[in-house]
Every structure is written in C-alpha cells, then in structure tokens.
Amino acid sequence: MTRSATGLDQRQLVHRDVWEKKETIRLLYRDFHRRLLENCPQGRILDIGGGTAHIKDSRPDIVCADILPFPGIDVLADAHRLPFPNECFSGVVMLDVLHHLERPIAFLKEASRVLKPGGRLPMIEPAMTTLARRFYTLFHEEPVDMGVDPFADVAINPDRDPFDANQAIPSLLFATQAARRQVEAAVPALRVRSVEWLSLFAYPLSGGFQSWSLMPAALVRSLLALEEKVPKRVQRQIAFRMMVVLERVE
C-alpha cells in the first residue's frame, strides 16, 4: 500500500477527491445509501468497509467501520472479526465490500452475530449479468474469477491488500436460487429476503470514481427513474449492480 504524508492510503485520498469534485457520483451514491438504509429497521446501524465514510453525508449517526483509517471512520476492524457484542445492531450495511473480503461466509456469520433478531444486512455489489460481466472482465481494474469457491474456508493472509478483490463473489453467492439456499445452509441465522438488479444506465455513464463522466448531474434523477421502469427480466441481463437483503431470523 502507498501511504500519504498523513499516513492514509493514497487510494482513499484519490477516492475522496473524486467524491468532492463530482456531483454526479454523490447523487448516485445518495440513491445507493437511501436504498440500503430504507431496508434496515429503526435502530443502530453499522456500515462495514466505510472507506472514506461518505455514507455519513446521508446519516451522520451511523457507525462506520473499516480496516484502514480515514476521517469519519469510527472503528478500525477486520470485517471477519468485528469488535462488537452480540445482537447490538438493527442493521449492517455494505456498499462494494463483500467482493473484497477474503472469507465471505465467515463474514456473514459474524454479521449475523452482531445483528439483532429481525435485523437486516442489505448490501450493494457488482453483478455479473450478461452485459456487465463482459465490461468488468475487459475494462475494470478488479478481477473477475467465476471459478472460485466462495464457501471455501481459506487461510487468512496477514499481508493481503485490503483492496484485493474478486468481483464475481456476490453473484456466485446470490445470483441463483441454488446459491442462496447454500448460503442459508452455511449461515442458518440469515435468510435471503430479496435480490434486486441496479445500475442499468446511470452508473456506467457516470464513470464511477474515474475523473470522467458521460452524464451531467442534472440527468441523474431522470435516468434512475427510467431504470425503475425497465422490466425485471431485462434488468437481470444488463444491470451492473445487485442489491441483496438478508435478515437475521433467530
């Protein structure tokens, strides 16, 4: 990792700089944050992998945890070993985090431990749809490996870069009914409530956290409204993101 003079990871600083300069991305993430928070019951909320803590622009009282320090991060923690007591949160939210985790099933067990019964874990992650998988494979800096076993209990690598990723992980765990049933069997305290397909046009056109954008901020709301009207069967083929909501059932 490359550290700045402040001791922060240089990639975080670049991320935050784009966030502050690019209204388009702030509007898109405001919609993501709304979706995540609307799927949580009232009560204390934990944000896993908070990064640069921009979710606090939507809800200042949220508890932000990350493995790397940054202004706005409340707790430094490995998502696989959360420093919180049992059943202390009504919601645990994640945005583009699961595909960075070394052992996703171990994390889901840990998330279920800190959730209250009836608490929810909504997450938004890359989706390997027919269209998006080609884009992610050819043009995105993070790898796509559909051949891994996301249920494997791999050994912890203490030298692993927190930014290492496999964008296929969320789809391998949640894109099919069979995979969801396997998740529920591996983590009996959680049930998959819903899987939705997001980011059809607006996010790809925005350029994400790149400096460029093919869409002015003034069009964000209109494009997001248009995406909602696209038939579900089409969303399933062209979406760049998936939103998964799990619930603690015992």
Side-chain angles (χ1 to χ4, degrees):
M1 293 185 291
T2 303
R3 295 286 184 175
S4 68
T6 62
L8 301 175
D9 190 287
Q10 188 65 40
R11 293 165 292 188
Q12 294 171 294
L13 296 174
V14 171
H15 187 283
R16 190 65 189 189
D17 183 61
V18 173
W19 175 266
E20 292 172 348
K21 293 178 179 177
K22 196 170 176 179
E23 183 183 4
T24 300
I25 203 68
R26 294 197 302 273
L27 291 172
L28 288 169
Y29 270 67
R30 187 177 300 165
D31 180 67
F32 289 151
H33 296 154
R34 175 189 62 80
R35 292 174 185 272
L36 291 170
L37 295 172
E38 284 182 351
N39 275 281
C40 292
Q42 289 188 346
R44 195 177 181 212
I45 305 296
L46 172 66
D47 175 36
I48 295 285
T52 56
H54 45 63
I55 196 170
K56 288 192 172 183
D57 293 352
S58 298
R59 181 167 168 172
D61 68 334
I62 203 164
V63 179
C64 281
D66 199 285
I67 200 166
L68 296 175
F70 200 86
I73 296 299
D74 302 296
V75 179
L76 289 179
D78 182 339
H80 304 90
R81 297 179 293 277
L82 296 172
F84 303 107
N86 296 346
E87 300 182 5
C88 63
F89 291 103
S90 296
V92 174
V93 299
M94 302 166 59
L95 180 50
D96 288 339
V97 175
L98 187 72
H99 70 281
H100 287 283
L101 298 183
E102 197 170 17
R103 296 178 298 147
I105 296 300
F107 160 72
L108 292 176
K109 291 177 179 178
E110 185 69 348
S112 71
R113 180 186 67 78
V114 302
L115 276 172
K116 297 178 179 179
R120 292 186 184 174
L121 167 58
M123 64 181 82
I124 295 175
E125 292 284 334
M128 296 302 111
T129 61
T130 304
L131 174 63
R133 180 177 174 181
R134 294 172 182 168
F135 177 88
Y136 285 132
T137 301
L138 294 174
F139 302 112
H140 201 280
E141 61 186 14
E142 294 175 351
V144 175
D145 183 356
M146 298 294 291
V148 303
D149 178 6
F151 296 91
D153 188 16
V154 301
I156 298 173
N157 177 6
D159 299 319
R160 185 176 185 268
D161 185 339
F163 285 87
D164 284 351
N166 178 4
Q167 294 183 99
I169 292 294
S171 293
L172 292 173
L173 289 173
F174 298 110
T176 67
Q177 289 286 356
R180 295 169 208 167
R181 287 193 293 269
Q182 193 172 352
V183 170
E184 293 176 343
V187 192
L190 293 178
R191 289 291 180 272
V192 181
R193 285 188 56 91
S194 62
V195 176
E196 300 177 53
W197 308 95
L198 310 175
S199 299
L200 312 184
F201 316 116
Y203 193 85
L205 289 172
S206 79
F209 278 89
Q210 302 298 317
S211 59
W212 58 269
S213 177
L214 301 178
M215 177 182 60
L219 291 182
V220 169
R221 291 184 179 87
S222 296
L223 267 180
L224 290 176
L226 176 62
E227 290 181 7
E228 294 287 344
K229 297 178 181 179
V230 174
K232 299 295 184 183
R233 65 182 182 278
V234 178
Q235 293 178 8
R236 178 64 181 82
Q237 297 301 315
I238 68 174
F240 279 71
R241 297 284 182 87
M242 61 195 305
M243 179 168 174
V244 180
V245 180
L246 300 102
E247 183 172 281
R248 167 80 188 271
V249 295
E250 60 178 48

